[in-house]
Amino acid sequence: MGASSRARAVEAARAGEWQQLPGLASRLAAGPTALWGISSSGAVQRWTGSGWALEGGPATRISVSADSGSLPWIVRPNGNIWRRTLEGPWRQVAGTGVDIAAGGADNTWTLGSGGIFRWNGSGWTRADGSAARIAAGSSGEVWIIDPNGRIYRRSSDRWELKPGSGVDIAVASPTRVAITSVDREAYLWTGSDWRQLPGVDAVSIAIDNQHVYALDPAGKIWKLNA
């Protein structure tokens, strides 16, 4: 399909399924009760239901806890890791990283210098493997995309290879996993393979228990009930 034909197909599918939200973003992260993002200028922002409220920053990566708190963790441009507290302020935690995955109090992970690390309450414990992207869910789920695009799920302290390949990944629960592919398609995990979610030119992805969110190459924000 040519570029213009594909663009028309994308717009047609969006009209019936994907809803554009106001604003622009460079990253998105969804929790059970909140949607957060990073603006094109690096500011941390929270979706209010009708627009975006600025909540600090700057940040390069963001992940929202998949437990009931829906509190974000961020990685700043210098690699320092901060988390939002129940009291409201941001608090720096130990260590540095390039990506963050907040699945909950005992299931938060980062990609740091030389590998994959899991939060132990006061610091980071190294795990095996290497990854380019990491995402974690509410029930102990953690998935990675390795530097070659291969997709793995953590199972019994080992990495289990899954079908397909990806560029970005998001996890809400064992049955709620989404990826983007190298050809900028969005997919939802079926339990054994990936189901395409047509109609969006996706470079980044986020997911909660009811919705999938995608960013297109221009930073536009799209929401799908799926």
Side-chain angles (χ1 to χ4, degrees):
M1 181 182 290
S4 61
S5 297
R6 183 172 185 234
R8 286 194 296 271
V10 166
E11 291 302 324
R14 278 178 178 164
E17 298 184 13
W18 290 89
Q19 172 194 358
Q20 186 178 356
L21 300 183
L24 300 172
S26 61
R27 299 294 306 178
L28 291 175
T33 60
L35 176 66
W36 291 70
I38 301 173
S39 73
S40 55
S41 64
V44 177
Q45 53 189 17
R46 176 180 52 83
W47 178 245
T48 66
S50 59
W52 295 95
L54 296 180
E55 298 284 356
T60 57
R61 294 288 188 181
I62 187 167
S63 181
V64 176
S65 178
D67 59 23
S68 59
S70 290
L71 295 173
W73 292 58
I74 60 173
V75 178
R76 294 196 182 275
N78 61 5
N80 288 341
I81 300 170
W82 292 67
R83 64 183 296 187
R84 190 68 172 259
T85 64
L86 288 171
E87 295 76 22
W90 291 96
R91 185 179 70 192
Q92 186 176 359
V93 302
T96 59
V98 296
D99 197 10
I100 192 77
D106 60 350
N107 191 38
T108 295
W109 300 70
T110 191
L111 303 182
S113 176
I116 302 168
F117 298 84
R118 183 173 186 172
W119 181 246
N120 59 30
S122 60
W124 300 95
T125 301
R126 185 167 183 170
D128 58 303
S130 64
R133 289 288 289 117
I134 191 165
S138 60
S139 301
E141 291 286 295
V142 58
W143 293 59
I144 61 171
I145 297 176
D146 77 6
N148 296 309
R150 292 176 298 222
I151 302 166
Y152 293 85
R153 174 183 175 270
R154 191 75 169 176
S155 177
S156 301
D157 293 325
R158 64 182 182 86
W159 296 108
E160 180 182 83
L161 181 65
K162 295 298 181 181
S165 61
V167 174
D168 196 21
I169 190 164
V171 179
S173 70
T175 59
R176 298 287 293 170
V177 184
I179 61 167
T180 61
S181 65
V182 68
D183 54 0
R184 300 200 301 234
E185 302 287 357
Y187 294 86
L188 189 64
W189 181 243
T190 67
S192 59
D193 210 337
W194 302 98
R195 174 172 64 89
Q196 186 177 351
L197 303 174
V200 67
D201 201 13
V203 296
S204 185
I205 202 89
I207 192 171
D208 62 23
N209 291 327
Q210 295 178 309
H211 312 100
V212 178
Y213 303 89
L215 293 179
D216 70 16
K220 295 177 183 177
I221 304 162
W222 299 91
K223 172 185 172 182
L224 177 68
N225 295 327

